[in-house]
Amino acid sequence: MLRFWKERFKTGIVTENPEIDKELEEIKKNLKDKVKKLFAGSLAIRMVDSGSCNACEAECNALSNPYYDLERLGIHFVASPRHADILLVSGVMTANMYHHVWDAYNQVPSPKWVITLGDCAKDLGVFEKTYAIKGVDLPVDYHIPGCPPTPKDIMQGLIEFLKKIEINKEK
Amino acid sequence: MRLIARFAQENENNFEIIDVFDIEIKKTKIDKNNPVTSTLTNKYPAAIWMERKIRDEFGINFEGCVDTRPLVKHERFPKNIYPMRKNFQKIDIEFGEFEPYEYEEVKGEGVFYVPVGPIHAGIIEPGHFQFSQAGEDMLHLEVRHFYKYRSIEKMCENKKPLEIKKIIERISGNESIAYQIAFFNILAKSAGIELNESFKNKSAILLEMERIIHHLTDLGFIPNDAGFAPALAFMSRLSEDARRTLAKVTGHRFGFGAINEEMKYDFSEIFKFINYLEEKINFFENWIIDIPSLWDRFDTTGGLSHEKAQRYGVVGVAARSSGVAIDTRNNQWYKNRGFEIQVRQKGEVSDRFLLRIAEIKNSIQIIRNCKTDSNEKIEFKEFNDGEFHSFVESSIGELFMYIKLKDGVIDRFYVRDPSHINWQAFHTAIYKDIIADFPLINKSFDLSYAGNDL
């Protein structure tokens, strides 16, 4: 374990690394402020995969690695739709997932928002319509494009989404 | 003989069942008016899903197959349609009546059932597990998948070969490069050309990078599921570094579109990265070996016996850690570049964990020995009709792809993802364990849902 502590002190906190790019630093600050203002510092997201290739999920998992560490900004990926503010949907929405995704949507307490993630969730991306694909027909509030969107894209997308609901709130 | 795949295709006058074994390929012709053939499930248990899929999609029945439940057609999927037949061209289906699925269950006093999925608690692909439990002990597990069934096989039909490239890249995000290489092998066979050394070297580097990323992610998640989060922090950082390196070289974090005719990449970033990785992985190994409470969870958990692995024809990491030495890289070309097959014996979580570390180290050696200085382009002029297949060792295991070209377009596209076999053997690895160990076992196999469901 001593070896580990040595390594740990040598590494420091990756998110506070000065070498990390300024752009990401800006995004993080923005995101944290918005979450604090609109969701009292705690935003819960339930991610549902409705038939993606797993790249979108991998990128969402990457959001909790030491470089991005989304939890620190007050954003949590939660285990149940009943704990969620936002339903984050990726993939083409297959016929076999159709009712399950709608089930999850219905379980999210109001007020709720739906964000689609990745090109598949909108216009199927490179895939074509087959009998096994239904396509996303949820009431979508915001779309984050990309195939897959990088963790930075997802964070930027969340900021844009929060900006959008901020404007709606003021109206 | 090991069964690799069993699938069907429709010809003008008949159906054809193609059985791919490791030493031969058998074809059986079946009458269209009375589509019945015999089952292989008595000898090869892994044929069950393949036969159920064929029955669902083609309406071919298998005499003697004990399991006749639908596989890809879920509760509300219309029952009387056979979508993979040529005369089925509808792209919209109406949902049918809800027909409950009968799960395999162990019955008895005090036995209860734990359904998990299809939407899981974490950020993970959808699939369903039904456990029969007596207290904490798992008596039985049924794995039910195909929630992500997008019908990629049908989607690729009637298209020119190069038109489906983008779809193939995105069948399974974790194995994208392996899928692309399999596809290019087939294209080369069809065009009657030999893939040049420059292509082989460069694609091998990218394939090993993909394997490294996949293994690094698992090496973090497995200890995390045993409650040891520092390993996840350490490894998820490394896998992010690896992904960024891949993005620097190919322009995409998952390598979508990375395998192409030119591949004019500057690989210096990768060579720099593997030196850094080697140091980190040695540190990780020394560190993790020193944590007894972790090995307490890893050892004796999730044992897949050598016999079971052979009986099911398991491939990839799961096979190699159970003493079955299968690796499609086991040839002279790879051996010249420092490939050594990694095999462990007991097939427990600890074996699969350590095997991944060993494979990463070996991948580093392979990358070092690949030459990247030459730049030869590949040119596909025209594609000849015929049936072609290819094997590639993806990060999960042996990937089999089959394409039949007719009149210049794809007549049948079939892929057997390594997960398709391994998922079926997966339930045999849980019987000695309690349900709390399940996430650990699941992660140590780390199988794909998207590639399996197609």
Side-chain angles (χ1 to χ4, degrees), chain B residues 111 118 175 192-193 237 293 295 305 331 342 363 379 410 430 436:
Chain B
V111 178
E175 302 160 85
I193 59 166
R237 183 186 172 204
S293 57
W295 296 96
S305 68
N331 55 38
Q342 309 294 325
S363 291
E379 266 182 82
I410 290 162
I430 57 135

Side-chain angles (χ1 to χ4, degrees), chain B residues 334-345:
Chain B
Y334 265 104
K335 278 180 190 162
N336 289 345
R337 280 153 188 81
F339 170 77
E340 276 174 50
I341 192 159
Q342 309 294 325
V343 182
R344 295 184 69 84
Q345 295 307 324

Side-chain angles (χ1 to χ4, degrees), chain B residues 164-171 179-180 183 401 413:
Chain B
I164 63 167
K165 187 169 178 293
K166 284 210 157 123
I167 297 175
I168 284 177
E169 285 161 13
R170 289 161 177 84
I171 291 175
Y179 270 95
Q180 291 174 59
F183 182 58
M401 189 183 279
F413 172 81

Side-chain angles (χ1 to χ4, degrees), chain A residues 13-25:
Chain A
I13 298 169
V14 187
T15 43
E16 289 175 3
N17 193 337
E19 284 167 24
I20 226 163
D21 57 320
K22 288 276 173 290
E23 195 190 346
L24 189 60
E25 208 55 47

Side-chain angles (χ1 to χ4, degrees), chain B residues 405-434:
Chain B
L405 286 173
K406 199 176 141 189
D407 306 326
V409 293
I410 290 162
D411 191 50
R412 179 81 169 102
F413 172 81
Y414 175 82
V415 164
R416 202 246 32 221
D417 194 86
S419 317
H420 197 56
I421 297 250
N422 289 8
W423 272 122
Q424 298 188 66
F426 178 60
H427 74 95
T428 64
I430 57 135
Y431 290 112
K432 287 177 188 161
D433 300 302
I434 61 170

Side-chain angles (χ1 to χ4, degrees), chain A residues 7 53 59 67 94 96 131, chain B residues 146-147 149 173 241 253 280:
Chain A
E7 175 81 10
C53 68
E59 293 296 53
Y67 284 112
T94 61
N96 286 341
Y131 60 90
Chain B
F146 302 94
Y147 286 91
Y149 176 59
D241 288 337
R253 283 165 59 91
K280 291 284 175 193

